[in-house]
Amino acid sequence: GDLNLCTGCARSQAGDAVIRVGASGQQEGGYLKLVAGEATERGGTVGICAGDGREGGDVSLSSGEGFQGSGGDLALQSGRSATNDRSGTVLISSADSGAGTGDVVLSTGIASSDKAGNVCISTGAGESCGGDIELIVGASKDGTSGDIRVMAGSSRDSVGGQVDILAGNGKEGGPLLLQGGKGTVDDGGNICLHAGSSLGSDADGGQI
């Protein structure tokens, strides 16, 4: 049978539903686990959905704050396969819209005194072939298509960050290809290399 836990409806604001594990005075707090049912064919699904409204509600997932140590981790991982089949896919996207769609932002927090965290996008190693990483901008029907920008960080008192584009090592090294876009009617795209300028009175611009 089904189990429904819900608060009553209200004309102004409905009540909240809270599922909380008790606090611990010394060691670790309790464990809260939401598990869907197992099945011989396809296991059950866990769905976490915010409410609909004039503006849709938000879904917030956050790990715990560390009072004297590091904050908790937040791990999103697909299910593994007990056979030789592939593991599940992790899909992060904004919803389709008749107007503009929402942004997808991957960023680390600001560090007030120490080094900020890194953003690492990597594929796993494979016995036959490693996975690819593709950065693809969506096509545009009438206007200019979107850009891809790879920019190193600026520094106020020291050297700016470095951008490295390296092909892979191997029995035969991998090629590095820079190619401008094809023009179906007008000119093809250019390839431009610019060294950095200098604002210092006794300094020179960069070299190529």
Side-chain angles (χ1 to χ4, degrees):
D2 297 332
L3 174 62
N4 293 321
L5 298 176
C6 63
T7 61
C9 300
R11 181 168 296 180
S12 58
Q13 181 176 350
D16 299 328
V18 178
I19 301 176
R20 184 190 300 269
V21 177
S24 173
Q26 293 182 348
Q27 297 183 359
E28 294 185 359
Y31 187 27
L32 177 61
K33 191 174 184 179
L34 298 176
V35 182
E38 298 179 354
T40 56
E41 293 297 326
R42 182 178 177 86
T45 301
V46 176
I48 301 176
C49 301
D52 300 331
R54 186 175 179 180
E55 291 187 4
D58 299 328
V59 175
S60 177
L61 297 176
S62 60
S63 55
E65 179 182 354
F67 296 137
Q68 296 180 346
S70 300
D73 297 329
L74 179 61
L76 296 176
Q77 186 179 53
S78 64
R80 67 182 184 90
S81 174
T83 62
N84 290 327
D85 206 345
R86 67 177 183 86
S87 59
T89 300
V90 177
L91 174 63
I92 300 176
S93 68
S94 59
D96 297 336
S97 175
T101 60
D103 299 329
V104 175
V105 179
L106 295 177
S107 66
T108 60
I110 298 173
S112 58
S113 59
D114 205 346
K115 182 181 182 293
N118 300 323
V119 174
C120 179
I121 300 176
S122 64
T123 62
E127 186 68 23
S128 61
C129 184
D132 297 329
I133 294 179
E134 295 184 350
L135 299 177
I136 301 176
V137 176
S140 175
K141 180 180 178 182
D142 297 325
T144 303
S145 184
D147 300 327
I148 293 180
R149 293 186 179 92
V150 180
M151 180 182 297
S154 302
S155 175
R156 187 186 63 181
D157 299 326
S158 188
V159 180
Q162 182 172 316
V163 176
D164 295 332
I165 302 177
L166 306 174
N169 300 324
K171 184 177 181 180
E172 180 179 341
L176 180 62
L177 174 65
L178 295 177
Q179 179 176 323
K182 297 179 180 178
T184 57
V185 177
D186 293 328
D187 297 338
N190 299 322
I191 295 179
C192 301
L193 296 177
H194 294 278
S197 60
S198 175
L199 299 179
S201 58
D202 296 331
D204 296 327
Q207 297 179 354
I208 296 180

